[in-house]
Amino acid sequence: MSEIRVEGLTKRFNETAALNAVSLDFAAGSFTALLGPSGCGKTTMLRLIAGFEAPSEGRVLFGDELMADPQRQVPPEARGVGVVFQSYALWPHMDVGENVAYPLKARHVKRSEIAGRVGAVLDMVGLNGFESRRIEELSGGQRQRVALARCLVADARIILFDEPLANLDMHLRSSMVDAFRDIHRRTGATIVYVTHDQAEALALADRVAIMSRGKVLQAAAPQEVYRAP
Ligand code: ADP
Ligand code: ADP
């Protein structure tokens, strides 16, 4: 069954449609890459799924629950979605453990439970024992892993990535690709991953949705995706 469904989704910011009547299903536990050049509407799709933008037309469903149509939108914090951006958006004045614990504290999870869950997700992203490290001592790749851990700690069933590797150098990118695959396998979350990098999309996803000018041209398994000569 589909965990996320967008139906006839259109988003206009001015005359032009950033998204133009897109319909797409995301199966539970699937890993979909949204691939396409800058400006084709990838981030807009992600923001509509997360609830940061309202649709101009069409709707967003999670399972059979309506998340958004032009009249009514469930707010982002009520959608139970984890988001990881290109810029890590970590709090520089907090240490690693405090950054990762933040979503749990915001939800009033018991203090006794927090340390264990923070330790477990830091383990999962390869930052075992980094709790008291300061953000400014970390490399870009380590910061992106902290952002990933902060997203994972909340146990979201849906995780949205917006070009999370864009600011990292080559060798870090390949180690993060492995980390993302591992996270997908271990959490079984439904992942939507925005990138303009074809190699990254093909390496990571079990389905690639190719976008152009606000439309999805094709959505298929990596081995079935048409490759331009
Ligand atoms: P991508 O993520 O594929 O680079 P975006 O979804 O960011 O593309 O943008 C799609 C189009 O919508 C672009 O032409 C962009 O300039 C426009 N756009 C996106 N967000 C806004 C906004 N808040 N206001 C006006 N135009 C926007
Ligand atoms: P991306 O790196 O995914 O392409 P951008 O850097 O284009 O994203 O956009 C970053 C933010 O700015 C997003 O929130 C997007 O909605 C907004 N944005 C993009 N294009 C425009 C625009 N033409 N006018 C206003 N806001 C925009």
Side-chain angles (χ1 to χ4, degrees), residues 60-208:
V60 177
L61 297 121
F62 288 178
D64 51 16
E65 235 186 302
L66 182 67
M67 288 295 122
D69 66 17
Q71 283 75 42
R72 211 178 62 87
Q73 296 90 38
V74 174
E77 62 276 13
R79 294 192 188 193
V81 168
V83 188
V84 179
F85 298 103
Q86 158 178 345
S87 54
Y88 332 106
L90 299 172
W91 287 281
H93 59 285
M94 297 182 193
D95 65 22
V96 168
E98 288 166 337
N99 265 280
V100 175
Y102 189 87
L104 299 179
K105 287 190 178 150
R107 264 183 233 185
H108 308 292
V109 172
K110 284 200 298 278
R111 198 182 274 250
S112 55
E113 202 186 307
I114 288 179
R117 285 176 65 176
V118 168
V121 291
L122 284 176
D123 240 17
M124 223 192 264
V125 301
L127 293 180
N128 186 6
F130 272 60
E131 279 87 342
S132 58
R133 298 282 279 275
R134 298 177 51 79
I135 299 301
E136 63 195 12
E137 316 171 8
L138 304 181
S139 69
Q142 290 171 330
R143 290 179 200 200
Q144 194 53 279
R145 286 171 192 266
V146 176
L148 183 58
R150 188 180 54 187
C151 167
L152 291 172
V153 82
D155 276 333
R157 298 306 309 146
I158 296 173
I159 304 180
L160 309 177
F161 289 100
D162 193 355
E163 306 239 11
L165 304 183
N167 289 335
L168 304 183
D169 62 36
M170 281 278 258
H171 78 278
L172 275 174
R173 292 167 78 107
S174 68
S175 79
M176 287 303 287
V177 163
D178 292 341
F180 290 140
R181 279 229 204 78
D182 186 47
I183 293 305
H184 180 234
R185 192 170 47 75
R186 288 166 75 159
T187 62
T190 303
I191 294 181
V192 185
Y193 187 101
V194 162
T195 180
H196 62 261
D197 183 326
Q198 176 173 304
E200 196 174 298
L202 295 173
L204 273 168
D206 50 46
R207 183 176 64 153
V208 179

